[in-house]
Amino acid sequence: MPERERVYRTEAIVLRHSDFGEADRLLTVFTPYLGKLRLLAKGVRKPASRKAGHLETVTRTQLLIARGRNLDIITQAQTLEPYVALRQDLWRMSHAYYAAELLDRFSEEDAENEPLYRLFATALGWICTADNLPLTLRFFDLQVLGLVGYRPQLFHCLHCNAPLEPVINYFSPQEGGMLCPRCGESERSARPLALNALKVLRHMQTHAYAECAALQLQPGTHDEVERALQGYLLYILERRFKSVEFLNMLRPNAATCAKRANDQSP
Ligand SMILES: [Zn+2]
């Protein structure tokens, strides 16, 4: 795409939006080839706006965008995939918001990551139908980590390189994966990880979604998997201030769902 072109077209998924001026809205969207973009949608808060319905959060949409002096401006929007099931189910929607927030944190403006875009679009479809939403998000967490260059090492000890034995090993956010018992004991950031939790992480890292969605986990095992991934994600993001809000998103409840739904409603 030549830099000087006055308008350009892209599909995008809306990650979030905020009010801007009297009737406008500022959108953060994720695109296949342009990474994350911040765009201005003019007049979409007016009742008669025809664009508004095509620019809701976690909607996949086709955009025509005009280059602006500061912000580029959305001139046309056409929904490609509304993920209707999310709009009808606050619980599912809260999980979709989590996925959008994770994407937002891990993507950069103007940095192309087409596989990450495809994963996100597909994952929103999973969230529309999944029976086990927390497990679906853990699968998503692991795939995102892989696609942004932080694939956790789950098979060898990151200190001594020995293959892991089927015992309680350690997970270290700081090291980016597993440590054997001997190395893990002396690493301050490492926490013990039960064998079942390690098996689940390995399975999800190396299998397709369909082969993971049906896994039946003990609640304790899911919690352990979640804690390991959560600790790793937070370590990478190093966003101390926002981390509390982020943690709350990991455990959606009615109050936070309702609040976010209100914040995001037109
Ligand atoms: Zn070791």
Side-chain angles (χ1 to χ4, degrees), residues 15 28-31 34-38 104 107-111:
L15 297 178
T28 303
V29 307
F30 192 55
T31 70
L34 302 167
K36 192 160 72 176
L37 299 176
R38 277 161 59 77
D104 192 9
S107 55
E108 288 165 42
E109 298 196 17
D110 300 316

Side-chain angles (χ1 to χ4, degrees), residues 63-163:
L63 302 178
L64 187 66
I65 303 164
R67 294 197 184 282
R69 197 164 296 170
N70 298 312
L71 282 163
D72 291 356
I73 296 162
I74 296 169
T75 59
Q76 285 175 30
Q78 178 65 52
T79 300
L80 296 171
E81 172 59 69
Y83 302 108
V84 172
L86 302 178
R87 321 280 151 200
Q88 301 163 344
D89 184 333
L90 217 50
W91 176 241
R92 289 191 191 280
M93 192 51 146
S94 68
H95 287 74
Y97 283 146
Y98 167 87
E101 180 137 355
L102 193 66
L103 246 284
D104 192 9
R105 301 289 170 93
F106 272 101
S107 55
E108 288 165 42
E109 298 196 17
D110 300 316
E112 173 183 350
N113 191 335
E114 199 241 349
L116 189 60
Y117 180 84
R118 298 291 161 216
L119 170 69
F120 185 39
T122 306
L124 290 175
W126 296 334
I127 294 169
C128 285
T129 57
D131 293 326
N132 189 337
L133 287 167
L135 183 67
T136 297
L137 286 189
R138 300 297 77 78
F139 182 83
F140 180 72
D141 290 341
L142 262 177
Q143 303 305 314
V144 169
L145 285 165
L147 291 175
V148 297
Y150 291 97
R151 181 185 170 93
Q153 168 56 256
L154 302 174
F155 292 88
H156 290 83
C157 172
L158 281 162
H159 277 186
C160 70
N161 208 33

Side-chain angles (χ1 to χ4, degrees), residues 1-265:
M1 187 182 61
E3 198 55 44
R4 288 196 304 278
E5 251 181 84
R6 206 171 55 79
V7 296
Y8 58 101
R9 220 175 259 286
T10 180
E11 76 166 75
I13 299 173
V14 181
L15 297 178
R16 60 186 158 92
H17 58 59
S18 54
D19 291 348
F20 191 81
E22 284 292 302
D24 305 341
R25 197 165 269 166
L26 205 53
L27 273 77
T28 303
V29 307
F30 192 55
T31 70
Y33 304 109
L34 302 167
K36 192 160 72 176
L37 299 176
R38 277 161 59 77
L39 303 170
L40 189 60
K42 287 192 164 174
V44 288
R45 280 154 57 218
K46 289 179 184 160
S49 169
R50 275 179 298 159
K51 284 199 291 284
H54 301 280
L55 296 172
E56 290 299 313
T57 308
V58 293
T59 296
R60 190 162 69 86
T61 187
Q62 181 72 36
L63 302 178
L64 187 66
I65 303 164
R67 294 197 184 282
R69 197 164 296 170
N70 298 312
L71 282 163
D72 291 356
I73 296 162
I74 296 169
T75 59
Q76 285 175 30
Q78 178 65 52
T79 300
L80 296 171
E81 172 59 69
Y83 302 108
V84 172
L86 302 178
R87 321 280 151 200
Q88 301 163 344
D89 184 333
L90 217 50
W91 176 241
R92 289 191 191 280
M93 192 51 146
S94 68
H95 287 74
Y97 283 146
Y98 167 87
E101 180 137 355
L102 193 66
L103 246 284
D104 192 9
R105 301 289 170 93
F106 272 101
S107 55
E108 288 165 42
E109 298 196 17
D110 300 316
E112 173 183 350
N113 191 335
E114 199 241 349
L116 189 60
Y117 180 84
R118 298 291 161 216
L119 170 69
F120 185 39
T122 306
L124 290 175
W126 296 334
I127 294 169
C128 285
T129 57
D131 293 326
N132 189 337
L133 287 167
L135 183 67
T136 297
L137 286 189
R138 300 297 77 78
F139 182 83
F140 180 72
D141 290 341
L142 262 177
Q143 303 305 314
V144 169
L145 285 165
L147 291 175
V148 297
Y150 291 97
R151 181 185 170 93
Q153 168 56 256
L154 302 174
F155 292 88
H156 290 83
C157 172
L158 281 162
H159 277 186
C160 70
N161 208 33
L164 297 175
E165 303 288 337
V167 296
I168 296 177
N169 291 282
Y170 285 73
F171 185 88
S172 164
Q174 201 169 318
E175 302 295 317
M178 298 301 296
L179 298 173
C180 71
R182 183 196 295 255
C183 298
E185 269 168 30
S186 52
E187 169 60 49
R188 233 162 44 92
S189 79
R191 296 281 173 275
L193 189 78
L195 186 57
N196 277 343
L198 176 60
K199 283 181 178 171
V200 170
L201 285 167
R202 283 175 171 176
H203 188 84
M204 292 202 294
Q205 191 180 61
T206 52
H207 290 74
Y209 174 70
E211 293 168 75
C212 299
L215 286 175
Q216 300 286 337
L217 306 193
Q218 304 283 345
T221 301
H222 174 268
D223 290 351
E224 209 171 341
V225 166
E226 181 182 80
R227 255 197 314 278
L229 288 172
Q230 185 177 295
Y232 187 34
L233 291 167
L234 285 175
Y235 178 79
I236 295 166
L237 290 167
E238 290 180 341
R239 302 276 288 267
R240 303 293 300 168
F241 255 128
K242 292 211 165 180
S243 64
V244 175
E245 182 195 345
F246 185 71
L247 279 170
N248 284 337
M249 291 210 55
L250 289 163
R251 292 196 179 284
N253 60 52
T256 52
C257 293
K259 181 178 180 307
R260 284 187 64 88
N262 285 337
D263 289 350
Q264 307 267 353
S265 62

